[in-house]
Amino acid sequence: MKLIEVKDYQEMSQVAADYLLSKVKKSKNVTLGLATGGTPQGLYEVLIHDHQQNGTSYQYVSSFNLDEYIGLSGKHPNSYYHYMNDNLFKHIDIDSENTHIPSGKAADPAKECEAYDEKIRSHGGIDLQILGIGSNGHIGFNEPGTSFESNTHIVELAESTREANARYFDSIDDVPTHAITMGISSIMKSKEILLLVSGEAKQAAMKKLVEGKISEDFPASILNQHDHVTVIADEEALALVKGLEFLNR
Ligand code: GLP
């Protein structure tokens, strides 16, 4: 796990964008794994700005999002489908046919899960997966206790996750109770992973991650076993791990 320490959210977003852009420029038809939440918003802003200023094209890029709330249609303002269009897709030249987000309204959710993994496989897998981390260590919506062997599946959201995401809804009662998420095994199949960590709320998670104890109780810990993970973390997120000897092992 390689760690890039940055000053703040802004620098994290810029460094992440540079990283992603170097992939897009090197291989036009790269397959990206994309995340939602507050963390990657700054990254997407930099990508949009770059597209407008420098014309970087996403014409042949494909993307797969990590997750979606069950019960929200793409039109719902809090769906991740809506988030991705609003925060990135509608501002760049990516072909909507090449963007993939699990459907939160699938008639047969189990079938949707299987089909999602199959679609990723048929694209030759994800070249670069962008990840954020929940304060309880979740990646995608894989909550503590999720099997490391899991493929794309339906999850019941932890109360702490619903509380953390309630800021986007009118009230916590409106936050869906379930989601569809790429599984841990699906995520670990990505050829490369970029994990973004920013702010005080992630300090404890960051500490646990770098301490390196691998346990299903802390889903992100599995990333220690992937051989191509880069973590970009800001000073605030790293406050509890300063001085620990763990980095770049
Ligand atoms: C959300 C998403 C995750 C995200 C995480 C952290 O619930 N499902 O993909 O990484 O929780 O969110 P944030 O970046 O807003 O802190």
Side-chain angles (χ1 to χ4, degrees), residues 17 70 87 102 153 155 165 171 175 178 181 198 211 227 232-233 235 238 244:
I70 294 282
N87 286 283
H153 64 294
V155 287
N165 290 354
S171 88
V175 183
H178 290 76
T181 183
S198 169
E211 280 169 353
D227 55 17
I232 307 177
E235 282 176 8
L238 287 166
L244 282 188

Side-chain angles (χ1 to χ4, degrees), residues 125-223:
I126 288 169
D127 295 310
L128 175 65
Q129 174 69 55
I130 307 295
L131 285 184
I133 185 170
S135 47
N136 63 1
H138 74 233
I139 48 176
F141 265 136
N142 293 287
E143 299 286 19
T146 305
S147 164
F148 285 154
E149 305 303 319
S150 54
N151 296 316
T152 297
H153 64 294
I154 308 290
V155 287
E156 182 173 1
L157 299 177
E159 214 36 43
S160 63
T161 300
R162 294 184 66 240
E163 278 162 20
N165 290 354
R167 67 192 194 274
Y168 298 112
F169 293 79
D170 288 340
S171 88
I172 188 159
D173 300 331
D174 295 334
V175 183
T177 55
H178 290 76
I180 177 168
T181 183
M182 243 188 236
I184 305 266
S185 168
S186 325
I187 292 171
M188 288 292 282
K189 286 193 184 107
S190 309
K191 289 162 206 146
E192 208 174 318
I193 295 176
L194 193 58
L195 172 67
L196 310 183
V197 195
S198 169
E200 200 184 340
K202 305 295 168 66
Q203 282 176 355
M206 188 69 216
K207 183 162 185 281
K208 263 193 166 170
L209 176 70
V210 300
E211 280 169 353
K213 181 175 171 259
I214 296 168
S215 155
E216 289 178 350
D217 292 340
F218 190 74
S221 61
I222 191 68
L223 298 176

Side-chain angles (χ1 to χ4, degrees), residues 61 80 96 134 140 166 203 226 232:
V61 170
Y80 287 159
S96 61
Q203 282 176 355
H226 192 288
I232 307 177

